[in-house]
Amino acid sequence: MTSIHRWGAALVAGAVACTLVAGPGTAEAQERGRLTDVVRLRSVSAENTKAELTATGFSAAAVRYGVDTFRLEYRTVDARKRPTTASGLLVLPAGGPAELSTVVTEHGTTSYRGDAPSMSVEDFASSPALTYGSAGFAAVAPDYLGLGTGPGYHPWMDVPSETTASLDMLRATREFLGRRMGSDVVVTGFSQGASAGLGLARALDERADPRFRLRALAPISGAYSFRDVEIPALLAGELDKKSSALYAAYLLVSWNRSHHLYRSPSEMFRAPYDKTIEGLFDGEHTGRQLMAGTPGTVGELLTPAAIELLRNPSPRFAAALRVTDGVCAGWNPRVPTRLYVMPGDDQAIAANTGSCAARFGAAGARPQVVSLPTSVHNGSTHLASNVRATEDIVRWLVRDFSRP
């Protein structure tokens, strides 16, 4: 399968100042997180797990167990708080500890529902969950809304709905595992998932569901300052040009569905792309099809009006960006926190991480900024940051957070 990452993507995104999440005693929360289906996907021996991780470029050094993998489908709410369903991947260590600590790993950008973690096998998107599961944790990888088996469009970079979908995935996991699931939760995530992870971590830290306790936080290569750092770098040509065109398109198409930024695609997209671009982001088109259906640069894709909107957001757009750019602001995580960054990141410019650390600092937090050695994975430093950070994070978790 070909994901947005395979064409060199994974911009970022973010969000939040999370909206309040219903507690476990409310009628809404009693329905949210309820399992609607469990699909046993496969069992993989420890040796085959090592081989699969090695094949996708991830380290196999932390593999201790074979794994059993499942797709959980569960009830949640959409971006407008209406009832819907979502799915996600659960990876469990075969023969692991009787009580499991949980690692939530939030995936980076994809627009094709078939590339979500619960739909992927031996793939970039599912490899982090395989890493943590085989190290002895219950690894939870939400698909988000509108991906995997979830209905409708994916509301890209909408951290409040990523937060509710992720919290409800934790609730569904608890229903499935029962007492085997401990209360401790470590949260990590890559690119778009870095912001999604921060949203979930903030909700847990604020006791959105007292059955879960945040223990550590480790986002990777997020675009935490979208308006002031990421979009200017994208427009200035400082990032990978093809990925920039794709992300600009995804941003405008997805946010128009949520925030009504334009009336007609021709206002934002040059011909002939104005006739086709919205259909490419319907969840059914693969990354390969997106590559073929879009030009190589932002300038070839966007109209002057679109570029001006990105440079000088309208009030409606600016309000949405404030939510995105609030992901690191106004809270002090009371747990060990690491922010992973790779200098020279070709999709989420490294200055994003400095901005996030400064915003945490303003609230009294002192996250550890981990600068990764520069390397390349499938032609991208951005993708390589996920590979290198996952290796470091699992080593840290096994040392400090694993159960005997």
Side-chain angles (χ1 to χ4, degrees):
M1 291 183 284
T2 303
S3 74
I4 215 169
H5 288 293
R6 292 289 179 86
W7 40 256
L11 175 72
V12 179
V16 248
C18 290
T19 55
L20 291 177
V21 182
T26 68
E28 178 192 3
Q30 289 172 4
E31 182 64 17
R32 283 178 43 190
R34 284 191 181 275
L35 283 168
T36 59
D37 196 14
V38 176
V39 179
R40 186 182 184 97
L41 298 174
R42 59 198 188 115
S43 296
V44 188
S45 69
E47 286 305 309
N48 286 341
T49 300
K50 291 179 181 179
E52 288 191 12
L53 289 172
T54 300
T56 58
F58 284 76
S59 172
V63 174
R64 296 173 59 195
Y65 304 97
V67 295
D68 297 314
T69 70
F70 305 85
R71 180 186 304 120
L72 304 188
E73 298 178 4
Y74 58 95
R75 298 190 185 281
T76 187
V77 291
D78 68 13
R80 297 182 181 179
K81 306 303 179 188
R82 299 171 301 192
T84 188
T85 59
S87 60
L89 175 67
L90 175 63
V91 180
L92 300 176
E99 183 177 309
L100 297 170
S101 295
T102 300
V103 177
V104 177
T105 173
E106 307 273 14
H107 69 83
T109 298
T110 185
S111 62
Y112 175 50
R113 65 176 60 255
D115 286 332
S118 79
M119 311 291 281
S120 303
V121 177
E122 299 180 47
D123 190 75
F124 190 89
S126 55
S127 289
L130 205 63
T131 298
Y132 299 119
S134 64
F137 299 91
V140 174
D143 292 336
Y144 311 145
L145 298 180
L147 298 172
T149 65
Y153 295 123
H154 171 51
W156 187 58
M157 297 176 11
D158 183 65
V159 169
S161 70
E162 291 165 353
T163 300
T164 52
S166 298
L167 179 58
D168 292 342
M169 174 76 178
L170 277 174
R171 290 167 169 158
T173 302
R174 176 173 286 281
E175 180 181 340
F176 180 62
L177 288 180
R179 293 184 179 179
R180 195 180 180 202
M181 184 180 185
S183 61
D184 292 348
V185 179
V186 174
V187 178
T188 182
F190 165 63
S191 195
Q192 176 187 356
S195 291
L198 285 168
L200 174 63
R202 187 170 190 165
L204 294 177
D205 197 42
E206 294 174 352
R207 308 299 287 172
D209 190 323
R211 295 173 297 179
F212 304 111
R213 179 177 64 161
L214 181 67
R215 289 298 309 280
L217 174 60
I220 307 162
S221 302
Y224 311 111
S225 184
F226 217 70
R227 179 172 180 173
D228 294 333
V229 176
E230 185 69 13
I231 289 177
L234 181 151
L235 293 176
E238 298 173 20
L239 303 171
D240 178 77
K241 290 180 171 51
K242 180 68 172 183
S243 296
S244 294
L246 290 164
Y247 286 123
Y250 207 175
L251 173 65
L252 291 169
V253 169
S254 182
W255 282 34
N256 188 57
R257 291 168 179 157
S258 301
H259 305 294
H260 309 295
L261 303 181
Y262 59 82
R263 290 170 295 179
S264 168
S266 61
E267 296 175 35
M268 298 287 107
F269 303 103
R270 295 181 182 274
Y273 309 109
D274 58 329
K275 301 291 192 275
T276 58
I277 196 71
E278 290 185 333
L280 290 174
F281 290 99
D282 62 356
E284 306 301 330
H285 286 76
T286 66
R288 195 181 300 268
Q289 289 172 309
L290 279 173
M291 282 288 284
T294 50
T297 66
V298 168
E300 294 173 277
L301 177 67
L302 299 185
T303 65
I307 292 174
E308 176 61 20
L309 179 65
L310 292 174
R311 284 194 175 124
N312 297 294
S314 64
R316 189 188 299 269
F317 190 24
L321 286 167
R322 281 193 293 274
V323 176
T324 298
D325 290 347
V327 71
C328 302
W331 69 299
N332 180 348
R334 294 166 290 184
V335 297
T337 300
R338 294 182 174 187
L339 303 176
Y340 284 85
V341 61
M342 182 172 285
D345 191 310
D346 59 344
Q347 295 174 35
I349 196 162
N352 280 293
T353 298
S355 174
C356 181
R359 291 185 179 190
F360 273 135
R366 293 293 181 267
Q368 178 185 358
V369 176
V370 181
S371 184
L372 299 162
T374 301
S375 58
V376 175
H377 178 82
N378 285 354
S380 171
T381 49
H382 187 56
L383 301 185
S385 71
N386 194 23
V387 173
R388 297 298 294 267
T390 299
E391 180 180 5
D392 190 73
I393 292 167
V394 73
R395 185 166 51 240
W396 174 43
L397 299 186
V398 167
R399 184 189 69 209
D400 292 352
F401 299 99
S402 64
R403 295 180 180 274

